[in-house]
Amino acid sequence: MSATAPPAAPRLPLHGLRVVELGHYIAAPFATRLLADLGAEVIKVEPPEGDPVRGWGSAVDGNPVWFSVHGRNKLSVTLDLKSAEGKARVRKLVARADALVENFRPGQLERYGLGPADLHAVNPRLVIARISGYGQDGPYRDKPAFGAIGEAMGGLRHLTANPGQSEHPPPRCGVSISDDLAGMYAAMALVAACWQVKGDPQAKGRVVDVDLVGSVFSLMEGMLPEYGLFGWVRQPQGAAIKTAAPTNTYPCADGKWLCIAGNSDLIFKRLMAAIGQPAAAADPRFASNALRCENVAELDAMIAAWTRTLPAAEAEAVLEAAEVPCSRLYDMRDCAEDPHFRARDLVMPVQDPLLGEVLHPAAPFRFDGVAPRDMVRWTGPAAGAHNEQVFRMLEEETP
Amino acid sequence: MSATAPPAAPRLPLHGLRVVELGHYIAAPFATRLLADLGAEVIKVEPPEGDPVRGWGSAVDGNPVWFSVHGRNKLSVTLDLKSAEGKARVRKLVARADALVENFRPGQLERYGLGPADLHAVNPRLVIARISGYGQDGPYRDKPAFGAIGEAMGGLRHLTANPGQSEHPPPRCGVSISDDLAGMYAAMALVAACWQVKGDPQAKGRVVDVDLVGSVFSLMEGMLPEYGLFGWVRQPQGAAIKTAAPTNTYPCADGKWLCIAGNSDLIFKRLMAAIGQPAAAADPRFASNALRCENVAELDAMIAAWTRTLPAAEAEAVLEAAEVPCSRLYDMRDCAEDPHFRARDLVMPVQDPLLGEVLHPAAPFRFDGVAPRDMVRWTGPAAGAHNEQVFRMLEEETP
């Protein structure tokens, strides 16, 4: 659990895979966080002043809190990619690596003299995963990619909204969803390409191109073929689902919200009984899902009148006892204090040598024979914490 | 581009990887769609009446539109998992496979006699990826997992909201985000475990456990360690960002929204000039990002007064000419008609033998040497379309 802890147990699936990160901010570092959680050796190359993401959010004595998670299980070295020494060290890192992840703006790596052709000259088997806002080609390639474009252009933000006109703009997703998705796709494609290279002495490395816009757009379900066939343009549905009733999110006495899925016939009857409306359970106007959809406003008003009388956790407990699927909208306290999160080690205390005891989320995948705690081998290190160790290794490995 | 098209070109990274899907609805089928896009052979096992997701959304002559994408590049066979013949065929499929993906409720596969121990008895090297709402253990394991729980319990839905009290509930993300994320993590972990097994004759298969709640929770950035250290609970910020101004989403004359990121000093000056407020660019109350954050209400009102005078596309064009990062909130028409989407083949017409010409999204990752069009080898087949081909192959392969 510290930077000097022993290396990963070989039971982690990517034990032995060597990855270089030339990343900053979110997308590429998230990709390598997942690869490192999976057991890969990740060497993160940062500028001498550190990845600028270290300046985001809170810090304790100058040590950024988010980076404890965002940088965990990685080795950090600092290099100036504009200097001859920095470039030479990147080439040495690449010579011994299986893969590299980068998220500079398209063309920047080439301007450093470290583009795919340069890197493949050093190591023809290297898998190179590139992440950018709009991709490595196309008319928007060189447009500045700010955080929200993927969400907005990929079609998600239009849907994250209440129906009809509103004075409030559709809210952001609340997290850097387009960077996260792109990082996940880059990690997945990188491992797939490494699977192809492994065990084939003739195999060449690959270049993978992942963009934020396309990553978000990949989640649009059947909306693209429906537009193509019928001209339909999906509109936002808020918290409800047009084709199922009652299923919605309802206000509670403590200002929190309760999400309830009561749309199957049997669950609907249990829901009506639980909220003290047994007559509604037998009302012919509510006898089927189709009829309930027609009369959904009345049902939603009836349910909300009940939820408003109770704090969200109490209303949730009543409905759970009645076996009606529901969930409060968990905030971070709800997550951190929930017994299921604790029992699954989804939330776990970890000793961080820079911050003391901190809570870490588990890796989002678990493997038989590996405890979630053993997947956090060490916490995010200071910038350059592994310079001496890594640079010495490079001298020893390359004569 | 049809079910009888030749198999994948071997340049796709997962060419040669054999995957069995025992999936339904979204999470597991999305995982295998990504694996199939990457070139894996995916055999989808459906009940005789077909995966119930085929009944979702629109259809043409009984052929579901979404499934053209959701089922693409897969082989479909229909089996009754309750029957001896169905179980026997699953075992034969597993005997020749590298991996299996399933998303039954925890315990269901074991009740079929097809749990991990049964499958590993047939093929000890099989990688088994299991997707469920809450995971394979923990106190909530057996709770019904409805679509929105991952989003609600994982902490996302609380954030997808406007700040303060509101009469409207926080909207859904607009897509099945928790299923998608879990499917992505399952695919990634599956390929990682296959990388480990490949080339090691001693290696055993693995069981991977991915849950919807933990998948969403993995995106919560630094919020968990900040809660642990300081007791902070992140609250929703709507469309704005507290620490940057002006950056928000503004209403336009046509009822659409324009997302603008004008918070750096230079961009702010260009933005004020573009909207006809050059005096504001020089106003000392707006001289730095910190000062602009203090006076953000006035700035937002000024920008919105301008955006309200123009349709979103026109306002976007004015700001783009002024090099101010911005994007309309694209709906499906905007995506489908955008020149960048078309130039990148992010949107491409595909011949579907069941539907005619349909638009497909590209795979969210591209590889040098493979055109995006070549990654759509065929469209989603009818349930059982490959029964004869696959069952004959099983007879021939297993004496």
Side-chain angles (χ1 to χ4, degrees):
Chain A
M1 296 288 179
S2 81
T4 54
R11 284 293 288 165
L12 283 177
L14 293 187
H15 180 76
L17 188 79
R18 292 171 172 181
V19 180
V20 177
E21 179 205 306
L22 301 182
H24 52 289
Y25 294 116
I26 302 181
F30 190 59
T32 57
R33 198 214 99 185
L34 298 170
L35 296 170
D37 278 1
L38 286 164
E41 176 203 273
V42 172
I43 300 181
K44 177 180 175 69
V45 176
E46 305 185 63
E49 67 277 15
D51 183 339
V53 79
R54 291 175 179 270
W56 287 14
S58 62
V60 175
D61 297 334
N63 297 301
V65 171
W66 179 12
F67 201 79
S68 181
V69 176
H70 203 42
R72 75 185 185 189
N73 298 327
K74 302 181 194 178
L75 304 169
S76 167
V77 302
T78 50
L79 290 175
D80 177 0
L81 296 189
K82 295 192 201 82
S83 77
E85 188 195 52
K87 292 180 210 294
R89 282 191 163 140
V90 168
R91 286 193 206 97
K92 283 185 183 176
L93 285 170
V94 158
R96 63 182 287 286
D98 299 289
L100 179 142
V101 185
E102 67 103 2
N103 65 334
F104 286 106
R105 275 174 73 165
Q108 183 59 42
L109 214 54
E110 286 82 350
R111 284 189 286 277
Y112 286 138
L114 296 169
D118 307 295
L119 300 176
H120 279 150
V122 174
N123 178 355
R125 290 167 66 82
L126 189 74
V127 171
I128 303 170
R130 318 190 72 172
I131 308 174
S132 58
Y134 302 90
Q136 301 293 323
D137 56 26
Y140 301 166
R141 171 184 188 266
D142 297 317
K143 282 174 74 163
F146 67 104
I149 51 134
E151 206 175 329
M153 276 195 64
L156 188 66
R157 189 83 183 283
H158 167 71
L159 298 171
T160 311
N162 285 302
Q165 277 294 358
S166 162
E167 57 183 321
H168 297 294
R172 286 172 193 273
C173 212
V175 298
S176 302
I177 189 79
S178 58
D179 292 277
D180 296 333
L181 293 168
M184 292 166 73
Y185 281 130
M188 187 189 310
L190 179 152
V191 181
C194 287
W195 181 89
Q196 185 178 42
V197 168
K198 190 179 185 183
D200 175 2
Q202 306 304 319
K204 298 278 183 219
R206 307 292 298 253
V207 181
V208 184
D209 172 7
V210 170
D211 63 294
L212 272 58
V213 171
S215 297
V216 171
F217 188 59
S218 74
L219 305 190
M220 293 299 119
E221 302 175 353
M223 293 175 231
L224 178 61
E226 288 189 338
Y227 171 75
L229 285 169
F230 315 122
W232 293 353
V233 177
R234 175 88 63 94
Q235 297 303 325
Q237 303 190 15
I241 299 179
K242 264 191 193 170
T243 52
T247 179
N248 210 326
T249 299
Y250 301 90
C252 297
D254 54 358
K256 299 200 74 170
W257 296 92
L258 184 64
C259 177
I260 302 175
N263 49 291
S264 88
D265 290 345
L266 283 175
I267 291 173
F268 171 69
K269 286 186 202 301
R270 294 203 296 268
L271 171 60
M272 290 299 111
I275 68 169
Q277 298 279 0
D283 188 324
R285 289 175 307 137
F286 306 139
S288 71
N289 181 59
L291 288 164
R292 290 192 293 273
C293 286
E294 279 176 36
N295 299 296
V296 65
E298 195 177 337
L299 282 174
D300 276 346
M302 210 181 280
I303 299 167
W306 177 79
T307 55
R308 274 187 231 278
T309 64
L310 294 171
E314 282 182 40
E316 187 183 59
V318 171
L319 295 185
E320 288 205 340
E323 294 185 64
V324 174
C326 66
S327 174
R328 282 171 289 150
L329 306 192
Y330 274 42
D331 64 20
M332 194 44 62
R333 177 178 290 115
D334 294 317
C335 293
E337 307 299 343
D338 184 276
H340 185 76
F341 282 64
R342 294 286 179 157
R344 290 260 294 166
D345 275 336
L346 209 50
V347 169
M348 52 188 167
V350 167
Q351 284 302 321
D352 184 318
L354 302 172
L355 298 168
E357 185 178 287
V358 290
L359 295 178
H360 267 236
F365 19 60
R366 44 197 80 198
F367 298 87
D368 55 334
V370 184
R373 284 167 188 266
D374 293 336
M375 294 182 76
V376 181
R377 286 114 69 204
W378 63 86
T379 54
H386 302 92
N387 280 359
E388 200 185 312
Q389 172 188 337
V390 171
F391 297 158
R392 194 188 317 120
M393 176 190 72
L394 291 182
E395 298 309 316
E396 287 167 2
E397 284 187 3
T398 48
Chain B
M1 294 291 180
S2 81
T4 53
R11 285 293 288 165
L12 283 178
L14 293 187
H15 180 75
L17 188 79
R18 292 170 172 182
V19 180
V20 177
E21 180 205 304
L22 300 181
H24 52 287
Y25 295 116
I26 302 181
F30 190 59
T32 57
R33 197 212 99 184
L34 298 170
L35 297 170
D37 278 2
L38 287 164
E41 176 203 272
V42 172
I43 300 180
K44 176 179 176 70
V45 176
E46 305 184 62
E49 67 278 14
D51 182 339
V53 78
R54 291 174 179 270
W56 287 14
S58 62
V60 175
D61 296 334
N63 297 300
V65 171
W66 179 13
F67 200 79
S68 181
V69 176
H70 204 42
R72 76 185 184 189
N73 298 326
K74 303 181 194 177
L75 305 169
S76 167
V77 301
T78 49
L79 290 175
D80 177 1
L81 297 189
K82 296 191 201 83
S83 77
E85 188 195 52
K87 292 180 211 294
R89 282 190 163 139
V90 169
R91 287 192 206 99
K92 283 184 184 177
L93 285 170
V94 158
R96 62 182 288 287
D98 299 290
L100 180 143
V101 185
E102 68 103 2
N103 66 333
F104 285 105
R105 276 174 73 164
Q108 183 58 43
L109 214 54
E110 285 82 350
R111 283 189 287 277
Y112 285 137
L114 297 169
D118 306 295
L119 300 176
H120 280 149
V122 175
N123 178 356
R125 289 166 67 81
L126 189 75
V127 171
I128 303 169
R130 318 191 72 171
I131 308 174
S132 57
Y134 302 91
Q136 300 293 324
D137 56 25
Y140 300 167
R141 170 186 190 266
D142 296 316
K143 282 174 74 162
F146 66 105
I149 51 135
E151 205 175 329
M153 277 194 64
L156 187 65
R157 190 85 185 282
H158 168 70
L159 299 171
T160 311
N162 286 302
Q165 277 294 358
S166 163
E167 56 182 322
H168 297 294
R172 286 171 192 271
C173 213
V175 297
S176 302
I177 189 80
S178 58
D179 293 277
D180 295 333
L181 293 169
M184 292 167 73
Y185 281 130
M188 187 188 309
L190 180 152
V191 181
C194 287
W195 181 88
Q196 185 179 42
V197 168
K198 190 178 185 184
D200 175 2
Q202 306 303 319
K204 299 276 182 222
R206 307 293 297 254
V207 181
V208 184
D209 171 7
V210 170
D211 62 295
L212 272 57
V213 172
S215 297
V216 171
F217 189 59
S218 74
L219 305 189
M220 294 297 120
E221 303 175 351
M223 293 174 231
L224 179 61
E226 289 188 338
Y227 171 76
L229 285 168
F230 315 122
W232 293 352
V233 177
R234 174 87 63 92
Q235 297 303 325
Q237 303 190 14
I241 299 181
K242 263 191 192 168
T243 53
T247 179
N248 211 325
T249 298
Y250 302 91
C252 297
D254 54 357
K256 299 202 73 167
W257 297 92
L258 185 63
C259 175
I260 303 175
N263 49 293
S264 87
D265 290 346
L266 284 175
I267 291 174
F268 171 69
K269 286 186 202 303
R270 294 203 296 268
L271 171 60
M272 289 298 112
I275 68 170
Q277 297 280 1
D283 189 324
R285 290 174 307 137
F286 306 139
S288 69
N289 182 58
L291 288 164
R292 289 191 294 273
C293 285
E294 279 176 36
N295 300 296
V296 65
E298 196 176 336
L299 282 173
D300 276 346
M302 210 180 280
I303 299 166
W306 177 77
T307 54
R308 273 187 231 277
T309 65
L310 295 170
E314 282 182 40
E316 186 183 59
V318 171
L319 296 184
E320 288 204 340
E323 293 184 65
V324 174
C326 66
S327 174
R328 282 171 290 148
L329 307 193
Y330 274 42
D331 64 21
M332 192 46 60
R333 178 179 291 114
D334 294 317
C335 293
E337 306 299 342
D338 185 276
H340 185 77
F341 281 65
R342 294 285 180 158
R344 291 261 292 166
D345 274 336
L346 209 50
V347 168
M348 50 189 167
V350 167
Q351 284 302 323
D352 184 318
L354 302 173
L355 298 168
E357 185 179 289
V358 290
L359 295 178
H360 267 235
F365 19 61
R366 42 197 83 198
F367 298 88
D368 54 335
V370 185
R373 283 168 188 267
D374 292 337
M375 295 181 75
V376 181
R377 285 116 68 208
W378 63 86
T379 54
H386 301 92
N387 281 358
E388 199 184 313
Q389 171 187 339
V390 171
F391 297 157
R392 192 186 321 118
M393 177 190 73
L394 291 181
E395 297 309 317
E396 288 167 2
E397 283 186 4
T398 49

